[in-house]
Amino acid sequence: VITASPSDEVGSDHHLDLTLITTRSWLHRDARLVGSGRNALFAAAAGLLGNDGILYIPTYFCHDVTSWLERHLPVKLFNHGPFEGESDLKIGPTDVALMVEYFGDRSSLTVEGGSVVVDRTHLPWANHSYHRRPDAVAASLRKALPLPDGGIYQFADSVHPEIEINRPNFMWEDAVSETMLGMGLKAQYLRSVGPTKQDFINRIKSVERHLVDASHDLRSSDFTRAFAGQFEVDAFDRKRRSNQELLCLLTTDIDESIGLTNTPSHSMLTFRSIEHRNAARDAMIARGVYPAILWDLSSRLVPDQQRRFADTTLFLAVDHRYGPRQIERLGSVITSLTGTG
Ligand SMILES: Cc1ncc(COP(=O)(O)O)c(C=O)c1O
């Protein structure tokens, strides 16, 4: 029987860990900080779109974010997703294409015409280069770093659009304070020093609950402005890679119908069907492992191959938060999935 103590738990929102803050910054000095990833995508795209231009968003994307962007900009979907091989997109001179670095991998998309914004949310400090230099890069921060909110965007040296995104918003500040409190309580919960899951679970989601209604010109919280860059991201990458290597060693006799793949930002498990995936997810959650689904694509028309990938895959957090102790336990949880896959 594999019982979970709080310190064994893997996945879900980051807890507050001020010990990770360092004096050096990984952020480029031209990077601009805003309230969220969607604010950053908006700023980058709005700065590049010409009159009557359209923002092209790939079909494999977080559709809540697509819907939010559609409220502010003219949007069209184009067919593109992860692990699909090289593909081309032709757009008009006033249009912008969103090129997503899925799971930290280099994008396989080539865009002809218009402008290009790279979405680097899965690994905000990735440094992939492209034959055609992107006109802007944007990312959400709170998925990869222990921050309550925040997005970054940066234009290429050759473009200098006038975009002012800096409106303070007291509802947002309150939501961030609530999320920070949740992150602090989660840190205490993981150390088993008092708080329960009920104490942090709603609070930590406060920022996410406010994302949909947040304005498009929101500035980031003071906390994120102070600390967004102050993390040793190279050390984070090294730790994730060693966690991934250990996880591979520990899962050599995993059920043959389950696939384990490592990407620069995540490890992922792929199952035979959505039913097997869901059963595995429930079994993992019962043991304190919280895998993510990226993304629920059910609200829009997307190619079958992308829907199937989204429906049969689970993403595991194997990042800097975890060490051999949690990874060994994660390995035995995965190995025990034999039969559900
Ligand atoms: C790839 C990607 N880009 C952008 C965003 C938007 O980030 P935020 O939720 O901070 O607005 C998300 C969020 O789900 C995302 O997954």
Side-chain angles (χ1 to χ4, degrees):
V1 182
I2 310 168
T3 51
S5 74
S7 61
D8 291 329
E9 289 189 12
V10 172
S12 200
D13 303 273
H14 287 263
H15 58 280
L16 190 64
D17 187 352
L18 298 176
T19 66
L20 294 171
I21 288 169
T22 73
T23 51
R24 269 186 316 155
S25 177
W26 64 273
L27 270 179
H28 194 279
R29 68 186 135 70
D30 295 335
R32 306 181 199 189
L33 267 171
V34 288
S36 67
R38 62 202 76 188
N39 281 141
L41 289 174
F42 170 83
L48 294 165
L49 278 169
N51 287 339
D52 75 13
I54 291 169
L55 172 62
Y56 284 80
I57 299 181
T59 40
Y60 187 92
F61 197 58
C62 177
H63 289 176
D64 290 346
V65 179
T66 305
S67 300
W68 185 90
L69 285 164
E70 257 170 356
R71 289 193 351 229
H72 303 287
L73 298 169
V75 164
K76 258 191 201 163
L77 297 192
F78 70 98
N79 177 4
H80 190 64
F83 308 112
E84 285 186 1
E86 301 293 320
S87 63
D88 296 322
L89 173 72
K90 281 200 183 73
I91 58 175
T94 56
D95 297 335
V96 174
L98 184 60
M99 195 164 115
V100 180
E101 290 181 348
Y102 296 113
F103 325 122
D105 279 327
R106 190 175 180 283
S107 175
S108 58
L109 181 71
T110 303
V111 180
E112 248 182 76
S115 307
V116 173
V117 176
V118 169
D119 183 321
R120 213 155 251 179
T121 294
H122 288 153
L123 198 63
W125 48 90
N127 58 3
H128 300 297
S129 60
Y130 295 93
H131 186 60
R132 171 182 177 171
R133 192 154 182 236
D135 301 280
V137 172
S140 177
L141 295 176
R142 69 178 191 289
K143 296 152 211 301
L145 293 169
L147 295 168
D149 70 335
I152 43 168
Y153 68 100
Q154 186 183 340
F155 291 110
D157 300 339
S158 50
V159 282
H160 303 280
E162 275 311 309
I163 280 284
E164 199 44 59
I165 297 233
N166 207 12
R167 190 185 299 185
N169 175 310
F170 297 113
M171 287 233 308
W172 186 254
E173 292 290 336
D174 283 351
V176 168
S177 301
E178 187 79 8
T179 289
M180 287 281 290
L181 175 58
M183 290 170 71
L185 289 166
K186 182 171 179 180
Q188 293 178 47
Y189 165 82
L190 294 176
R191 297 202 317 273
S192 298
V193 291
T196 65
K197 203 164 263 198
Q198 289 320 310
D199 293 328
F200 71 80
I201 206 94
N202 276 322
R203 287 181 166 134
I204 211 165
K205 296 283 182 206
S206 178
V207 158
E208 282 194 10
R209 280 196 298 274
H210 281 78
L211 279 169
V212 176
D213 296 326
S215 64
H216 60 71
D217 52 3
L218 201 64
R219 80 169 178 195
S220 73
S221 65
D222 290 343
F223 182 87
T224 295
R225 237 168 310 132
F227 297 119
Q230 314 301 119
F231 297 98
E232 262 190 67
V233 296
D234 293 344
F236 286 7
D237 282 342
R238 283 196 297 278
K239 196 144 179 212
R240 186 188 321 93
R241 275 196 296 271
S242 78
N243 284 341
Q244 288 176 321
E245 281 162 21
L246 179 59
L247 190 61
C248 281
L249 286 175
L250 294 167
T251 51
T252 46
D253 55 355
I254 183 177
D255 186 299
E256 62 183 26
S257 68
I258 305 173
L260 171 67
T261 308
N262 291 322
T263 77
S265 63
H266 291 85
S267 292
M268 61 190 209
L269 295 175
T270 316
F271 298 86
R272 247 185 325 196
S273 68
I274 186 168
E275 290 77 20
H276 288 109
R277 192 276 307 266
N278 291 344
R281 180 166 177 257
D282 292 346
M284 294 175 95
I285 289 174
R287 293 168 177 134
V289 173
Y290 298 93
I293 292 176
L294 299 177
W295 291 279
D296 175 2
L297 302 180
S298 52
S299 68
R300 284 171 192 257
L301 206 60
V302 305
D304 286 348
Q305 171 196 357
Q306 290 168 20
R307 188 179 307 287
R308 188 174 157 70
F309 175 76
D311 282 351
T312 56
T313 307
L314 289 177
F315 291 85
L316 304 168
V318 287
D319 54 65
H320 64 270
R321 288 173 283 176
Y322 308 110
R325 199 180 105 95
Q326 288 97 351
I327 300 300
E328 276 167 25
R329 188 168 172 282
L330 177 61
S332 41
V333 169
I334 293 172
T335 307
S336 74
L337 292 175
T338 309
T340 55

